[in-house]
Amino acid sequence: MAEYITKMGDTWDLIAFEQLGSCEYVSLLLNANRRYSGTAIFSAGVVLNMPEITKTTKAENLPPWRRNNESP
């Protein structure tokens, strides 16, 4: 699992967007770093685990009508 070291002022949604490519991955990021779930704004130097994003993961985060090859 890859790691990310926070910068002063980082937030969950900003990290998900910049490091994982979408704010949709905030829940995966939180699940990978439960010990920091009470943190809203990070100080510099916190080491976070970055979840692996796969094609399947991306599809699971979309609503059923937006997924390819699946019916709602």
Side-chain angles (χ1 to χ4, degrees):
M1 188 175 280
E3 294 180 337
Y4 171 74
I5 300 173
T6 61
K7 302 179 303 277
M8 178 67 77
D10 274 347
T11 59
W12 291 107
D13 55 341
L14 181 64
I15 296 167
F17 180 76
E18 290 182 347
Q19 300 301 313
L20 301 174
S22 175
C23 292
E24 294 177 0
Y25 301 126
V26 169
S27 61
L28 294 175
L29 186 58
L30 279 162
N31 284 335
N33 297 282
R34 291 181 184 210
R35 77 184 269 193
Y36 299 110
S37 63
T39 303
I41 301 174
F42 286 93
S43 57
V46 177
V47 178
L48 298 178
N49 294 316
M50 300 305 289
E52 186 174 330
I53 304 299
T54 63
K55 192 171 189 171
T56 304
T57 304
K58 291 179 182 180
E60 289 171 352
N61 286 317
L62 293 174
W65 61 89
R66 302 269 326 257
R67 297 177 191 164
N68 291 333
N69 302 321
E70 291 185 30
S71 57

